[in-house]
């Protein structure tokens, strides 16, 4: 059996835990600019229709008296680590999929800790006792149903789908509750007369695949309870590190965008060094004023954790792809990690000789590690980079 643990309104709940004056108040975790969006809303704010990813100005129209707080990522990570440390007391198969949710495979753990429902109750109690926060847990034979179940009795609840009840649960499950089924997918299915997974079963599989491609094939499999995904503890390690910035005003100034990439490369590279990782891939994301979005990426000949190298690749991608559109959002990320800088094949020159390490990298390696040490002692903004000039 698989458990899906999901913290309740996590960021907002942490703020209410740390700041007693916010308890019982509608709390919105967000930036304060005109372009900010809601990261998390407390349940008091959700009663007014406020939800994650909503523009802040819309949230304040619905709930003018909401308390807007900027959030504390370091604090959230600290509590998240404590929550998942509790989870690992009951099974080594813990897959943390985000800062506030994860899966546990408790198959075979019954002899030590009792049946899955008991383990879920124990987890919920311990999280509350040891962190002061609540969580909700779904229990089911397969992963996607466990995730759906964790949302049914939120907040601070448990829902169990026993193996013998799985088929009936699937038949009545609305397709909009299936993880990954977005508005467009739900609208398309509605046009086909499909509202539940029971309806999916009745629809010809080949026709559904013809309409939706692989998504239709996956949906048909889920409708019959075929979910091959397993809980993988290896997924705990980050697959990517990224950051993005929604600009205060749309821009067509490439130097300004370059400056944002430099700040983001600095932040991403610092995280890589802190985790002892090197990245093989650099990617950028741009959202234009008309909300059209593009992503572009490149694979490095040699993995890196230096902000200068990451910045150079990001700017090269941007300069190659940008055609003068007004830009609303800028993002940069790294992926394809290794713990060994020499893990990737060495680049060969035209004569088949292994390319030597750039001496500049050696110098910047020392500089950036020194900057890390200064920031660790004196704070994130103790040392900052100069603005990129035209």
């Amino acid at each position: 059996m698989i458990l899906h643990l999901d913290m309740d309104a996590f960021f907002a709940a942490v703020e209410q835990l740390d700041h007693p004056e916010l308890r019982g108040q509608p709390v919105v975790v967000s930036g304060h600019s005109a372009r900010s969006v809601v990261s998390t809303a407390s349940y008091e704010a959700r009663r007014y229709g406020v939800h994650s990813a909503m523009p802040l100005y819309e949230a304040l129209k619905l709930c003018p008296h909401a308390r807007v707080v900027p959030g504390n990522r370091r604090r959230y990570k600290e509590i998240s680590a404590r929550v998942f440390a509790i989870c690992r007391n009951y099974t080594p198969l813990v897959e943390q999929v985000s800062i506030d949710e994860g899966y546990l495979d408790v198959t075979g753990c019954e002899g030590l800790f009792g049946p899955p429902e008991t383990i879920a109750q124990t987890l919920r109690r311990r999280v509350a006792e040891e962190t002061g926060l609540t969580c909700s847990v779904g229990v089911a034979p397969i992963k996607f149903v466990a995730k759906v179940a964790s949302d049914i009795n939120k907040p601070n609840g448990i829902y169990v789908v026993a193996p013998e009840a799985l088929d009936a649960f699937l038949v009545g499950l609305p397709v909009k509750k299936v993880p990954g089924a977005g508005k467009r997918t739900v609208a398309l299915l509605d046009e086909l007369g499909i509202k539940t997974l029971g309806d999916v079963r009745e629809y010809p599989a080949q026709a559904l695949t013809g309409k939706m491609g692989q998504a239709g094939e996956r949906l048909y499999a889920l409708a019959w309870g075929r979910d091959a995904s397993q809980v993988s503890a290896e997924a705990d390690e980050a697959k990517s590190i990224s950051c993005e910035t929604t600009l205060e005003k749309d821009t067509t100034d490439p130097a300004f965008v370059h400056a944002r990439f430099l700040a983001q490369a600095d932040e991403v590279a610092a995280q890589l060094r802190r985790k002892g990782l090197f990245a093989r891939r650099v990617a950028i994301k741009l959202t234009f004023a008309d909300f059209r979005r593009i992503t572009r990426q490149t694979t490095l000949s040699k993995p890196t954790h230096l902000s200068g190298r990451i910045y150079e690749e990001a700017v090269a991608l941007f300069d190659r792809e940008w055609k003068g559109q007004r830009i609303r959002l800028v993002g940069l990320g790294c992926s394809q990690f290794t713990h060994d800088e020499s893990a990737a094949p060495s680049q060969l020159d035209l004569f088949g000789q292994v390319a030597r390490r750039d001496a500049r990298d050696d110098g910047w390696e020392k500089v950036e590690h020194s900057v890390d040490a200064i920031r660790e002692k004196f704070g994130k903004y103790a040392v900052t980079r100069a603005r990129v000039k035209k």
Side-chain angles (χ1 to χ4, degrees):
M1 292 287 280
I2 294 171
L3 277 56
H4 180 259
L5 182 147
D6 193 9
M7 301 300 294
D8 298 323
F10 184 48
F11 294 173
V14 173
E15 297 300 329
Q16 291 176 318
L17 176 70
D18 291 348
H19 305 282
E21 71 276 12
L22 297 178
R23 296 173 190 172
Q25 301 294 315
V27 174
V28 171
V29 179
S30 173
H32 283 81
S33 76
R35 309 291 284 272
S36 295
V37 297
V38 175
S39 175
T40 306
S42 69
Y43 284 96
E44 294 86 353
R46 295 182 189 191
R47 296 191 188 107
Y48 293 86
V50 179
H51 58 77
S52 299
M54 171 181 284
L56 180 61
Y57 74 88
E58 288 187 14
L60 292 177
K61 284 182 181 179
L62 294 171
C63 185
H65 59 294
R67 304 286 294 274
V68 181
V69 296
N72 184 341
R73 193 77 180 180
R74 178 173 294 184
R75 175 69 168 147
Y76 304 153
K77 287 182 178 179
E78 172 195 327
I79 294 184
S80 174
R82 287 161 57 188
V83 169
F84 286 98
I86 294 171
C87 293
R88 292 184 182 91
N89 287 327
Y90 297 92
T91 173
L93 292 177
V94 177
E95 179 182 339
Q96 184 176 350
V97 295
S98 71
I99 196 169
D100 63 347
E101 65 172 312
Y103 296 92
L104 297 80
D105 188 336
V106 297
T107 305
C109 299
E110 295 89 341
L112 291 172
F113 305 113
E117 184 175 1
T118 300
I119 297 174
Q121 293 283 11
T122 303
L123 282 174
R124 193 166 61 106
R125 174 181 55 78
R126 283 195 59 186
V127 167
E129 291 175 351
E130 298 180 32
T131 71
L133 302 174
T134 65
C135 66
S136 298
V137 184
V139 184
I142 54 179
K143 277 180 80 172
F144 101 90
V145 173
K147 181 174 175 63
V148 172
S150 68
D151 196 50
I152 292 176
N153 282 334
K154 266 187 167 292
N156 197 25
I158 290 176
Y159 192 89
V160 179
V161 180
E164 61 272 18
L166 177 62
D167 195 66
F169 182 86
L170 291 171
V171 167
L173 185 68
V175 290
K176 65 182 180 181
K177 296 289 187 180
V178 176
K183 291 181 179 179
R184 290 183 180 179
T185 298
V186 172
L188 172 60
L189 292 170
D190 190 61
E191 291 177 2
L192 300 176
I194 297 174
K195 297 184 181 300
T196 68
L197 289 186
D199 296 332
V200 172
R201 292 184 178 187
E202 298 297 322
Y203 203 88
Q206 189 172 1
L208 190 63
T209 302
K211 294 280 188 181
M212 300 177 62
Q214 289 186 341
E217 187 177 338
R218 176 178 179 272
L219 187 64
Y220 191 80
L222 294 180
W224 287 97
R226 298 194 292 268
D227 182 7
S229 56
Q230 303 293 315
V231 175
S232 172
E234 294 178 359
D236 278 355
E237 187 167 295
K239 292 182 172 62
S240 65
I241 296 175
S242 63
C243 61
E244 59 186 45
T245 305
T246 299
L247 307 180
E248 291 283 349
K249 295 181 179 179
D250 298 344
T251 186
T252 55
D253 181 357
F256 182 79
V257 176
H258 289 181
R260 301 285 72 74
F261 280 137
L262 181 56
Q264 292 172 345
D266 210 28
E267 182 174 336
V268 168
Q271 291 189 55
L272 288 171
R273 293 190 296 272
R274 192 158 50 244
K275 296 174 182 291
L277 298 173
F278 296 84
R280 296 189 182 97
R281 178 167 290 172
V282 175
I284 65 169
K285 177 167 71 173
L286 300 173
T287 300
F288 302 118
D290 60 1
F291 291 93
R292 187 171 59 87
R293 176 178 298 175
I294 66 168
T295 59
R296 297 292 184 269
Q297 61 186 24
T298 185
T299 300
L300 308 180
S301 60
K302 180 169 69 67
T304 188
H305 61 194
L306 298 179
S307 56
R309 288 282 295 113
I310 295 169
Y311 165 72
E312 289 170 0
E313 296 295 339
V315 166
L317 287 169
F318 171 75
D319 290 347
R320 186 162 57 245
E321 295 294 333
W322 182 61
K323 308 301 181 186
Q325 306 97 318
R326 297 189 66 82
I327 298 170
R328 172 185 174 86
L329 177 145
V330 177
L332 181 152
C334 289
S335 60
Q336 290 195 359
F337 300 140
T338 175
H339 290 278
D340 182 1
E341 185 183 15
S342 62
S346 299
Q347 185 178 10
L348 301 180
D349 66 18
L350 291 175
F351 300 98
Q353 301 298 313
V354 176
R356 295 180 179 179
R357 178 186 175 92
D358 191 332
R360 294 176 301 171
D361 284 356
D362 289 324
W364 279 112
E365 183 91 25
K366 296 173 183 176
V367 170
E368 296 198 11
H369 279 291
S370 296
V371 169
D372 291 341
I374 293 170
R375 288 174 174 169
E376 183 69 26
K377 185 173 182 179
F378 297 105
K380 179 179 179 180
Y381 300 105
V383 180
T384 58
R385 285 182 174 269
R387 181 182 177 86
V388 174
K389 297 181 180 180
K390 292 185 180 180

